[in-house]
Amino acid sequence: MSQIRPLIPLLLTAGILIGGNGLQGTFIALRGLSEGFSPSTIGLISAGYSLGFAVGCISVTRLLRRIGHIRVFSAMAAIASAASITMILITNPVFWFVMRFIIGIAVACLFATIESWINAQVTNSNRARTLSIYRFVDLGSVTLAQYVIPAAGIEGPAIFSIIAMALALSIVPISLADKSNPAPPNQVPFNLFAVWRISPLAVIGCIAVGLSMSAFRNIGPIYAEQIGFSVTSIATFMSAGIIGGVVLQYPLGAYSDRYDRRIVILTTTAFSVVTGLFLSFFAGNDEIRNVIGVFIFGAFALPLYSLSSAHGNDHARDGEHAMMSAGLLFFWSLGATAGPLLASVFIDVFGPKALFAYTAAIQIVFMIYTIYRLTVRAGVPPEHRNWRFRSLLRTSAYFTKLAAPPSPDQDKKWPEE
């Protein structure tokens, strides 16, 4: 703990930020329904956040190099807080889309800043411990945040205010306790064509995850509300999918490190399709069946981003891993922009059960493409890989660096900070 103690302010800041941001996605969907917005309108508002996130991913390193970590974090936390609380004042879909777009830019910059900052502070001896605590903070913050909604209620300004307060308060721990002044990170290479050339399957996988899982995170509350769940049950439903995503991350990752990663991706996607079809056609309106189904769905669907990223990095050469991380995160954000909008349109036309039929359809297409890639390219033998599976958050390119314990040659693969 003596090694971790200097990082506690950064981890506390991350927890407040993750909780506030995790609360916002579920709440906006439910509040939009209560305001009379259609599912497709809510999907468009959700797409605004992901579009802003993509813009933030591109611009954040330049901002960090220009004005430094604390100024970027403070400015973006203030912007996100102001945009969140402004949504109380004007209940209009176009205005909410613009505010969510601004919040997406700010949150992408906030995650990149805090994770770059943590990277600058960790050492070889405390990196694994720090990563474990970070993952625990992420899971705990997002799960607990779901239950703020039934506690505070959907109506009124309370949750908007709580979100704004969380974003503003995230500045406090690092401002009061962390006296470090990290050196600005080097510019992360950003070449989407090169990322596609290195691994088309990883690109399509990350887009597919964005299309499907962003739909679940943003439209899942609408699904649960329309099949008759209470607000508390909606929070449980969403939490079950998030917690489920943790269960198989490391077993699937360890297996993929030993065998052809594409086979693991194909098998995992197939189980995601089966559970998605179960939720769509067999779970009905029963709360227990839906919660169990979404738990299993999350267990197989959420690791696909990390598996796709690991496969892409298997083919990357020294010096290309930072570019792969940034590029795949950007491709994911493109999928995440379209996913909620497409899923919400299907719900408008066919009803709530169309959500998981939609995710299954996306994943079936990904399975077909994976099978195609198996026929045109040989896999990298496990003994020749210079990259191992890492359970990744889709927060910033810097998380991949945090999740990758340095080896003697690994420092060459990432820009020094």
Side-chain angles (χ1 to χ4, degrees):
M1 286 305 299
S2 62
Q3 295 178 333
I4 295 294
R5 192 172 293 112
L7 293 167
I8 289 176
L10 296 173
L11 294 169
L12 181 59
T13 292
I16 296 171
L17 174 62
I18 290 168
N21 190 56
L23 168 63
Q24 193 156 177
T26 304
F27 171 67
I28 291 298
L30 296 178
R31 181 59 179 261
L33 286 176
S34 74
E35 297 290 351
F37 297 169
S38 67
S40 56
T41 299
I42 296 170
L44 181 62
I45 294 168
S46 300
Y49 171 84
S50 299
L51 186 61
F53 191 91
V55 173
C57 288
I58 297 172
S59 58
V60 62
T61 306
R62 190 178 303 111
L63 284 172
L64 288 172
R65 292 186 60 77
R66 181 174 298 175
I67 62 176
H69 287 69
I70 187 61
R71 288 183 176 87
V72 170
F73 193 92
S74 300
M76 291 302 164
I79 290 170
S81 177
S84 298
I85 206 164
T86 302
M87 294 173 73
I88 303 174
L89 306 177
I90 303 175
T91 306
N92 176 276
V94 175
F95 183 78
W96 279 23
F97 172 86
V98 174
M99 291 301 101
R100 289 294 283 163
F101 174 77
I102 292 171
I103 291 168
I105 295 174
V107 167
C109 293
L110 287 168
F111 279 128
T113 302
I114 198 67
E115 288 168 4
S116 170
W117 204 329
I118 292 173
N119 272 314
Q121 299 285 7
V122 294
T123 63
N124 291 355
S125 60
N126 67 10
R127 181 178 293 272
R129 209 172 283 114
T130 301
L131 179 64
S132 298
I133 295 173
Y134 195 111
R135 292 307 307 259
F136 179 80
V137 166
D138 167 68
L139 180 64
S141 297
V142 174
T143 302
L144 291 175
Q146 305 304 309
Y147 290 95
V148 173
I149 299 174
I154 296 174
E155 304 300 331
I159 294 185
F160 281 117
S161 301
I162 291 170
I163 293 168
M165 289 166 59
L167 291 166
L169 287 172
S170 67
I171 305 172
V172 175
I174 56 174
S175 298
L176 295 181
D178 196 300
K179 300 180 176 62
S180 62
N181 185 24
N186 292 338
Q187 185 71 39
V188 176
F190 192 77
N191 188 332
L192 300 180
F193 293 105
V195 172
W196 171 265
R197 174 185 54 78
I198 293 168
S199 180
L201 180 61
V203 170
I204 297 300
C206 289
I207 293 174
V209 172
L211 286 167
S212 56
M213 296 314 296
S214 181
F216 163 68
R217 291 294 293 268
N218 290 282
I219 308 301
I222 298 177
Y223 164 89
E225 194 273 345
Q226 290 193 352
I227 65 172
F229 281 15
S230 67
V231 176
T232 302
S233 297
I234 293 171
T236 301
F237 176 80
M238 297 303 297
S239 297
I242 295 166
I243 295 170
V246 179
V247 174
L248 293 181
Q249 286 269 358
Y250 290 103
L252 289 171
Y255 195 79
S256 74
D257 282 338
R258 297 173 58 190
Y259 302 99
D260 191 329
R261 226 183 284 277
R262 296 170 299 176
I263 299 298
V264 179
I265 290 173
L266 183 63
T267 305
T268 303
T269 308
F271 277 103
S272 300
V273 170
V274 170
T275 51
L277 293 175
F278 169 80
L279 286 163
S280 185
F281 295 105
F282 300 103
N285 298 345
D286 183 81
E287 183 174 335
I288 294 176
R289 287 201 298 266
N290 274 278
V291 169
I292 293 173
V294 82
F295 178 86
I296 298 171
F297 174 77
F300 287 103
L302 282 174
L304 284 170
Y305 179 86
S306 298
L307 289 168
S308 297
S309 176
H311 172 73
N313 279 291
D314 287 341
H315 293 276
R317 299 189 299 268
D318 286 359
E320 292 180 333
H321 295 281
M323 179 182 68
M324 284 296 296
S325 177
L328 293 178
L329 184 64
F330 181 80
F331 280 117
W332 169 82
S333 66
L334 293 183
T337 300
L341 182 56
L342 292 172
S344 62
V345 170
F346 283 117
I347 285 182
D348 264 345
V349 176
F350 300 107
K353 292 297 180 178
L355 170 62
F356 289 102
Y358 159 82
T359 64
I362 294 295
Q363 290 163 344
I364 288 171
V365 172
F366 180 45
M367 286 178 62
I368 294 170
Y369 187 74
T370 303
I371 294 170
Y372 164 72
R373 293 301 302 176
L374 281 165
T375 65
V376 300
R377 187 180 192 179
V380 179
E383 62 272 15
H384 294 155
R385 295 174 187 168
N386 59 5
W387 194 261
R388 297 188 64 188
F389 174 87
R390 278 97 182 180
S391 176
L392 302 176
L393 301 179
R394 294 176 293 277
T395 47
S396 81
Y398 295 104
F399 185 83
T400 307
K401 183 177 181 182
L402 178 64
S407 61
D409 61 342
Q410 191 167 336
D411 289 338
K412 300 175 184 178
K413 302 173 189 174
W414 283 92
E416 292 293 336
E417 294 182 2

